[in-house]
Amino acid sequence: MSLTHYYSSVRKLLIMKIENAKAQMRKGVLEYCILSILSRGDAYASDIIKELKNVELIVVEGTLYPLLTRQKNAELLSYRWEESTQGPPRKYYRLTEKGESFLGELDRSWTNLTDSVRDIKNQKR
Amino acid sequence: MKKTIRIHISGYIFNIEEDAYTILEDWLSKVSNQYSDEEGGDEIINDIEIRVAEIFQDKIGAEEGVISSEEVHKVIDIMGSPEDFEQDVESVETDPKQSGKKSKFKRRLYRDEENNILGGVCSGIANYFGIDPLIIRIIFAATIIFGGFGTIIYILLWIIVPKAETTSQKLEMKGEPVNISNIEKAIKDEFENVKKNFLDKTNSEKLNKFKKGITEITDTFAGLIIKLFKGVSGFIGVVFIIAGILAVILAFSFFFNNSNILFFNHSIFNWQPFINLFPTPFSSTITSIGLFLLIAIPVIMIIYAGTRILFKYKSGGKAFRYTGMSLWIIGIIITSVVAIKFAENHQSENKHANNFTISDNLTNTIYLSLDNKYNKTFDKPDFVMSNYNIITTDNKVKLFGKPNVDIIKSKDNKTNLKLSYSANGKSRKDAYLRAQNISYLWNTKDSILRLQPYFTIKGDNKFYKRELFITLELPVGKKIFLDSGIVNLLDGIKNTENMWDHEMAGQKWIMTNNGLSLNLKNDSVIIEENILPQETDTVKTDSNISI
């Protein structure tokens, strides 16, 4: 392998790792935000998507559906079918009790995390 | 005008254009693949589909709207591509695909029964070297045709080389590292393949098992038939291809004078004799190139198409096709130019004539017969092209032709023989000169007129149209006996019996005002059977003879 080939492979690896880390960060946060939104009230999937897009947490809608279903399967959410005048019935999501307590834990963990990070960044040398 | 397909997504019916459908279907199947083996995966897919249907509804409104690829792309932009959904990234240690490249991991020779035509020998070898199986197959086909030892080698390899069965073997065959993630990937791929063909909609386990069994049996059976069919059609395909190649080689040797191709001498089947007919060596070469291209290129293209279909060769080859096309067009152009030039060279016609009075005597019967003293090889020409130029070769090309003989009423009460030589050329002068090159022999002795069956060309043997019209003029009342040998030269003799030329042979005729007639008046009793010596005892020949 030539030297340039080696360097470009290393660069590619690095870029992948950065994207990895970003993705990992965003992933946890997304799930946290879904639960937060639902804690304010029941909502349709499209409402959740709209809010997340507004704050630019997601770019593509497709990201949401797997997360919603997984959380539902983990019994953090539940849904019921709501008839709508314009088309077929839509899923109307609701936070379960399990979800509420899970959310509470996440809240605590988030506060801890952000406090710690702030402290580190503000450390004077 | 575009074709539309009617689909439904989650119960919504849509009309969608054909090309948009392809894009949408591709995206949906990617999504489906991604979540199909996950718990609750069906629900995820369902939710996505509902959302997609919603978006389409918004975009095109009422039922009569048609989804075009623009709308599909918008939906894909909104929803994202399946890779974007998952923020999961695989562990960084595995490299992205190394397809086709040689890797430094251990590589072993196996037969590849997933990519096989017969036994997967060629695929296996190709995998080992990391090249396209097509190349190996062509090499094998060539060794089989030219000698046949390839067959034995192939069968040997088929028996000896094991087929790659386990996943690790398959990976080894392709030289990919045998570690957990690769095995996992390979198993996943295979599982997906199996799943696609698997019937999984029924509940009952027994029914499932039964269906599975039937499917297995039919699959094996069908698989055998397909393999057999592939093998046979593959073989036939190869035969066609080889035949095509042979044809091209033969055409090449024909046009370019290479008698010793393919280990046998076929010097008869050669362009050589024709070369002399062209005005210049350059024009004959150009013509042979043009004709060769014209004929060979389409054959080559067919061979090429055949190999592509046969060996499932997917990628381009555009350069090949364009080159072939241009060469063929060049062939057409050359042939057209040659044809035009040819027409130019032959556009004028001219003739010159010789007249002879044979006899003043009205009473004797003239005997018209064939002169047997001619070059008998002319009777078996190597090549005949219309009536005018018959070519024969004994290491040389000789042109000759058949004259046309007509018998008509004479205007001056004498028996005359008129010879009219006609030829084509670039100009009238050129044509006249060429007409002078026509050489013909005839003679008369006593009352017998002997004509030779062929005229020859002296001087250059180039290909120009040449004709000889012989007219025998008989005064009214003159009798003539037509020998059967002469009949081939006769050309529509006018006669009162309405007979064809060949029917007139072997009979005595008399010239009347309306042509020859069989009605021989016997008012003057003249003994016709004996040939009396005549004052015209000379042997007359064509003044243009050269020996």
Side-chain angles (χ1 to χ4, degrees), chain B residues 55-280:
Chain B
I55 303 178
F56 276 137
Q57 267 287 324
D58 280 336
K59 297 264 172 222
I60 62 162
E63 280 173 25
E64 289 314 307
V66 177
I67 302 175
S68 74
S69 40
E70 199 189 318
E71 273 91 43
V72 173
H73 282 304
K74 281 202 191 125
V75 161
I76 296 182
D77 281 343
I78 293 174
M79 295 298 291
S81 50
E83 301 91 64
D84 297 339
F85 295 176
E86 278 313 304
Q87 309 293 356
D88 270 332
V89 185
E90 287 180 24
S91 76
V92 160
E93 281 84 55
T94 51
D95 277 349
K97 297 188 252 219
Q98 275 203 336
S99 54
K101 293 213 200 102
K102 249 186 168 181
S103 74
K104 47 184 153 60
F105 296 103
K106 183 172 91 166
R107 211 180 255 269
R108 294 193 58 188
L109 179 64
Y110 286 103
R111 285 186 294 121
D112 188 354
E113 292 225 325
E114 281 167 5
N115 294 321
N116 63 337
I117 287 195
L118 286 173
V121 171
C122 296
S123 290
I125 297 178
N127 276 326
Y128 186 78
F129 289 113
I131 56 179
D132 194 301
L134 174 66
I135 300 174
I136 306 284
R137 286 182 180 130
I138 287 183
I139 295 176
F140 254 110
T143 57
I144 289 177
I145 305 301
F146 292 111
F149 64 89
T151 332
I152 303 179
I153 291 189
Y154 189 91
I155 295 178
L156 270 177
L157 285 176
W158 194 341
I159 297 174
I160 295 175
V161 175
K163 74 177 182 210
E165 272 170 336
T166 73
T167 315
S168 60
Q169 284 176 341
K170 286 181 185 163
L171 289 170
E172 274 181 337
M173 173 173 67
K174 294 183 179 149
E176 285 174 22
V178 184
N179 57 37
I180 299 290
S181 46
N182 259 349
I183 293 184
E184 192 190 332
K185 196 159 78 112
I187 292 180
K188 251 188 162 181
D189 286 342
E190 206 168 318
F191 188 62
E192 286 304 321
N193 283 336
V194 170
K195 239 188 145 177
K196 274 186 189 138
N197 302 331
F198 190 66
L199 309 163
D200 61 343
K201 300 287 183 209
T202 53
N203 297 324
S204 141
E205 217 186 78
K206 249 194 186 168
L207 192 58
N208 253 348
K209 272 205 186 130
F210 180 70
K211 279 191 182 174
K212 206 168 158 191
I214 297 280
T215 317
E216 263 179 35
I217 295 176
T218 44
D219 275 347
T220 324
F221 193 63
L224 275 173
I225 292 189
I226 287 176
K227 262 201 197 149
L228 192 71
F229 182 72
K230 267 195 204 165
V232 169
S233 66
F235 178 70
I236 292 178
V238 168
V239 167
F240 275 140
I241 289 171
I242 301 297
I245 293 177
L246 275 176
V248 170
I249 293 178
L250 274 176
F252 185 82
S253 69
F254 177 80
F255 282 113
F256 299 114
N257 196 21
N258 191 343
S259 315
N260 285 318
I261 275 194
L262 292 184
F263 314 118
F264 66 95
N265 191 328
H266 52 86
S267 49
I268 326 155
F269 188 60
N270 208 311
W271 185 238
Q272 182 64 42
F274 293 90
I275 290 185
N276 289 339
L277 303 177
F278 284 85
T280 64

Side-chain angles (χ1 to χ4, degrees), chain B residues 289-333:
Chain B
I289 292 177
L291 283 173
F292 175 75
L293 285 178
L294 201 64
I295 296 172
I297 297 286
V299 174
I300 292 178
M301 294 312 258
I302 293 177
I303 297 172
Y304 176 66
T307 48
R308 283 189 51 173
I309 296 174
L310 186 70
F311 295 132
K312 308 168 201 162
Y313 195 58
K314 272 176 270 180
S315 58
K318 271 203 178 128
F320 188 84
R321 272 181 277 166
Y322 285 144
T323 324
M325 199 62 201
S326 1
L327 280 178
W328 191 63
I329 290 177
I330 291 177
I332 293 181
I333 292 176

Side-chain angles (χ1 to χ4, degrees), chain B residues 7-18:
Chain B
I7 56 169
H8 81 86
I9 308 176
S10 291
Y12 268 114
I13 298 182
F14 293 105
N15 293 319
I16 181 168
E17 283 173 8
E18 198 175 11

Side-chain angles (χ1 to χ4, degrees), chain B residues 39-59:
Chain B
E39 206 191 285
D42 286 342
E43 201 174 344
I44 299 177
I45 298 170
N46 202 33
D47 285 347
I48 292 179
E49 285 191 350
I50 294 177
R51 179 66 188 134
V52 165
E54 267 180 21
I55 303 178
F56 276 137
Q57 267 287 324
D58 280 336
K59 297 264 172 222

